[in-house]
Amino acid sequence: MNSKAISVVTSTAVPLNIENVDTDQIIPARFLKATNREGFGKNLFRDWRYIDNDENKPHEDFVLNQKKYSGKILVAGKNFGCGSSREHAAWAIKDYGFDVVVSSFFADIFRNNALNNFLLPVVVSDGFLHKLFTAIIADPSKEITVDLPSQTITLAGGDSETFQISDYKKTCLLNGYDDINYLLSQRAKIEAFEKSI
Amino acid sequence: MSKTLFEKIWEKHVVESIADGPDVLYIDKHFIHEVTSPQAFAGLEKRGLPVFRPQKTIATADHNVPTLHQELPIKEALSRKQVEKLTENCAKYGVELYGLGHPFQGIVHVIGPELGITQPGMTIVCGDSHTSTHGAFGTIAFGIGTSEVEMTLATQCIMQGKPKVMRINVEGKLHPGVVSKDIILHIISKISASGATGYFVEYAGSTIRSLSMEARMTICNMSIEMGARGGMIAPDEVTFAYMRGRKFAPQGADWDKKLEEWKKLKSDDDAVFDRELNIDAGDIEPMITYGTNPGQGMGISDTVPDPEKLQDESERNALRKSLTYMGFKGGEKMKGMHVQNVFIGSCTNSRIEDFRMIASLIKGKKKSPDINVMIVPGSQQVAAQIVKEGLDKIFTESGFFIRQPGCSACLGMNEDKVPAGEYCVSTSNRNFEGRQGPNARTILASPLTAAATALTGKISDVRELLNVNPA
Ligand code: SF4
């Protein structure tokens, strides 16, 4: 198993109970000027985290600024990651320290970007999402287990739900392989395809 | 078996289907820009790989460029570095670049079609979600992330799950003062900002057929704003007439051969779509948005919806949050409200037809002195055409100033931003919180509505300026 691989994540979670979180909120465009992939975590949700863009003036009520919430799992409202295709959004979430994002619905491009960065998007039912929010807010020390091999998400001492992921992607995540590795192994096939068109 | 246009093009480009996994999809054209490509090139370098098919990638600088004094070095160091990095990467890997100062430079989704690079039947990707614009030519075109940009550079393929297919039929005649931007804002307001997630959309019907290529591009452009993977329109005589003679369009015998192929590109009569939606063009008014996602739109004579009247708690909270940000109240009318800014530009509405439309409205009238207006052509070629047709004189006489091509105030990244707390009636595509600058408040609208607002200083119903009766 290489360092990127994901298998079982057990952690407390951060509840972001907002719907339609777009990638401009996750990482505003003015922070996209970097030419490498690192360091975007410090600007994650920048304009929701700080008043007037000032790191000394945190918005006290924003979840990332509430000390009681922490962990490797972000639980978010439905239609998470809509809007711009910027992969910087997935980089920022991963760089901040999350390994899993849970929602009842993800935007397509964000979902692919997350998977390509070993950030696991877990789709749960609206009902289960509601349960997660209620449980975390009632007790921020509550742990959640996301088990990729068995495709289950479980609230400590309570409910559990299964989630979908294609066999291909599951194998990639468990082994730390990315799509480029796969495509590079298919070069001969791609060249043959080019000749056929 | 009968097939949709989407399925026909998709299947032709599948190199391999992985069981319980994505398809390996071959990409005909790949556009790149300065913001989402540097990390992809860095990835190639790390793996010691060349660009697999450099002739199939085209680069431009658009997102992070100034729109004044492009002849001077970019002032801000990080932006300058990002644009320089693109130049460096293109030179090193043999990719054609239409950078600042090049006569073909412009917003990536404006230049592809106008140069004839975008052609029916192709698969097209770009690290930008509005790649759906190119679908107006009957292509499968969609936005990708930087890892996928790297895949395309390395192998000319990406791995994608096949989306479902939805058809949206728009039938009937549009009222005067209602244009393609209003059609798409209307559709998104009906279906919501996530209503087409998981789908690829084909737009069809007599209204769509009656539109110019520019107007069709505006519609396909905003497909992503309802969550769709992309949007497409089957090519027809309008498409072929637009393409003929363009710089990189096929010529001579080649053109005739291609034309025969392109004419076959349509959904079979009995093709089955996973979902269909019917829209009556006569129901559409000039549209504006009141909230912080593009689904929160309404006709200009409507009132802002009242969150307190919503049954569902999470919907109520979401609408409250949007209205608080925008500074609007439920039940309020937006028409007649004073705004400080107007932005005319972006890959949604910055083509020559948009400028012709605005010029015919503002001719002989004066800009309101109370309003800041930014007008930004989509490309150097559009800018040159404006001058060639003498439209620039009309703009100048009315008190408007035309800037240089780029994404400008569409995304709050480069120098052009809307000041905090101020309103901006914008022809762009996203009204997200802070999209046009921290705490900026965006109201999406058509070029006609934006221009009418620029003349009056207030959110205006263009039909009153055109002397047509609001239906
Ligand atoms: S104009 Fe706006 S939406 Fe279009 S490509 Fe540029 S930033 Fe993206």
Side-chain angles (χ1 to χ4, degrees), chain B residues 63 107 109 128 130 346-347 407 410-411 429 435:
Chain B
H63 282 63
I107 305 175
H109 313 307
D128 184 286
H130 294 100
S346 91
C347 57
C407 294
C410 173
L411 87 165
N429 42 50
R435 171 74 181 184

Side-chain angles (χ1 to χ4, degrees), chain A residues 4 17-20 22-25 28-38 40 47-48 52-53 78-79 82-88 91 105-109 112-113 116-117 130 165-169 178-187 189-191 193-194 197, chain B residues 12-16 18 20-22 24 26 35-36 38-39 47 49 52-53 56 64 76 78-79 81-82 85 127-129 143-148 150-151 154-160 193-194 197-199 224 227 229 293 314 318 321 411-413 417 430 432-433 435 438:
Chain A
K4 292 190 280 186
N17 194 358
I18 300 175
E19 294 183 359
N20 297 314
D22 60 76
T23 54
D24 274 82
Q25 307 317 316
R30 60 188 193 280
F31 300 109
L32 307 186
K33 295 178 183 178
T35 51
N36 53 20
R37 287 174 183 245
E38 293 78 37
F40 289 100
D47 292 333
W48 284 348
D52 298 333
N53 199 22
K78 80 168 176 235
N79 197 26
C82 58
S84 159
S85 62
R86 60 190 68 166
E87 194 162 311
H88 312 66
W91 299 337
F105 198 85
F106 288 95
D108 290 329
I109 306 180
N112 283 348
N113 287 343
N116 282 329
N117 288 282
H130 188 73
I165 185 167
S166 75
D167 277 351
Y168 166 81
K169 264 298 163 193
D178 57 28
D179 284 355
I180 302 194
N181 296 332
Y182 181 83
L183 287 170
L184 289 170
S185 73
Q186 300 298 307
R187 283 274 276 270
K189 239 186 206 163
I190 296 168
E191 283 173 13
F193 176 86
E194 285 180 323
I197 49 175
Chain B
K12 245 190 115 175
H13 289 83
V14 173
V15 176
E16 188 196 5
I18 298 172
D20 195 18
V24 174
Y26 192 81
V35 179
T36 57
Q39 294 87 351
R47 294 174 203 252
L49 294 168
F52 182 56
R53 296 289 178 251
K56 297 194 179 198
N64 197 5
E76 209 238 4
L78 277 176
S79 303
K81 196 177 148 215
Q82 199 171 45
K85 195 79 199 158
D128 184 286
S129 58
I144 56 175
T146 297
S147 295
E148 292 165 317
E150 186 180 339
M151 288 173 214
T155 67
Q156 204 58 36
C157 289
I158 57 168
M159 306 191 64
Q160 289 289 301
S194 60
T197 303
Y199 289 89
I224 180 74
R229 204 69 187 83
N293 75 58
S314 63
K321 184 173 186 298
L411 87 165
M413 173 167 199
K417 291 186 184 76
R430 288 191 170 136
F432 297 153
E433 288 183 27
R435 171 74 181 184

Side-chain angles (χ1 to χ4, degrees), chain B residues 286-288 300 334-344 358 361-362 365-373 400 423-427 443-463 465:
Chain B
M287 294 286 295
I288 45 172
I300 189 138
M334 282 170 64
K335 197 179 114 180
M337 277 186 189
H338 177 70
V339 296
Q340 299 88 349
N341 304 276
V342 163
F343 171 59
I344 294 173
I358 296 166
L361 179 77
I362 64 173
K365 303 189 182 78
K366 288 272 181 246
K367 170 185 156 310
S368 159
D370 309 334
I371 203 159
N372 255 319
V373 182
F400 294 99
Y423 291 102
C424 180
V425 171
S426 174
T427 67
I443 297 162
L444 301 176
S446 78
L448 283 179
T449 300
T453 302
L455 293 173
T456 61
K458 291 179 286 198
I459 298 177
S460 296
D461 187 336
V462 67
R463 293 170 298 188
L465 273 83

Side-chain angles (χ1 to χ4, degrees), chain A:
Chain A
M1 186 164 122
N2 77 25
S3 63
K4 292 190 280 186
I6 299 188
S7 176
V8 180
V9 178
T10 297
S11 164
T12 52
V14 177
L16 182 67
N17 194 358
I18 300 175
E19 294 183 359
N20 297 314
V21 173
D22 60 76
T23 54
D24 274 82
Q25 307 317 316
I26 299 173
I27 182 101
R30 60 188 193 280
F31 300 109
L32 307 186
K33 295 178 183 178
T35 51
N36 53 20
R37 287 174 183 245
E38 293 78 37
F40 289 100
K42 71 175 195 302
N43 294 319
L44 177 67
F45 294 115
R46 179 80 192 197
D47 292 333
W48 284 348
R49 246 161 106 184
Y50 305 114
I51 298 167
D52 298 333
N53 199 22
D54 183 346
E55 280 169 40
N56 299 315
K57 289 200 271 171
H59 268 289
E60 299 295 348
D61 54 353
F62 185 61
V63 284
L64 291 190
N65 296 329
Q66 296 183 32
K67 294 241 158 44
K68 59 184 174 182
Y69 298 124
S70 64
K72 292 181 174 166
I73 302 174
L74 178 66
V75 180
K78 80 168 176 235
N79 197 26
F80 186 80
C82 58
S84 159
S85 62
R86 60 190 68 166
E87 194 162 311
H88 312 66
W91 299 337
I93 294 171
K94 187 82 184 179
D95 189 51
Y96 186 87
F98 293 111
D99 285 328
V100 177
V101 190
V102 181
S103 178
S104 57
F105 198 85
F106 288 95
D108 290 329
I109 306 180
F110 177 81
R111 198 163 177 279
N112 283 348
N113 287 343
L115 287 166
N116 282 329
N117 288 282
F118 300 89
L119 171 68
L120 178 63
V122 173
V123 183
V124 296
S125 66
D126 283 320
F128 194 74
L129 187 68
H130 188 73
K131 268 187 206 155
L132 289 176
F133 280 132
T134 313
I136 303 164
I137 291 164
D139 177 8
S141 68
K142 191 97 173 163
E143 285 195 325
I144 296 170
T145 297
V146 173
D147 183 316
L148 180 59
S150 70
Q151 295 177 220
T152 53
I153 172 166
T154 310
L155 199 52
D159 293 292
S160 171
E161 199 171 83
T162 57
F163 61 88
Q164 294 299 312
I165 185 167
S166 75
D167 277 351
Y168 166 81
K169 264 298 163 193
K170 184 170 164 180
T171 311
C172 285
L173 291 177
L174 288 171
N175 295 293
Y177 298 155
D178 57 28
D179 284 355
I180 302 194
N181 296 332
Y182 181 83
L183 287 170
L184 289 170
S185 73
Q186 300 298 307
R187 283 274 276 270
K189 239 186 206 163
I190 296 168
E191 283 173 13
F193 176 86
E194 285 180 323
K195 290 204 182 84
S196 76
I197 49 175

Side-chain angles (χ1 to χ4, degrees), chain B residues 209-225:
Chain B
R209 289 276 147 249
S210 72
L211 299 175
S212 69
M213 284 318 292
E214 283 90 346
R216 293 178 189 188
M217 283 189 253
T218 299
I219 291 188
C220 290
N221 174 276
M222 289 193 71
S223 304
I224 180 74
E225 307 311 336

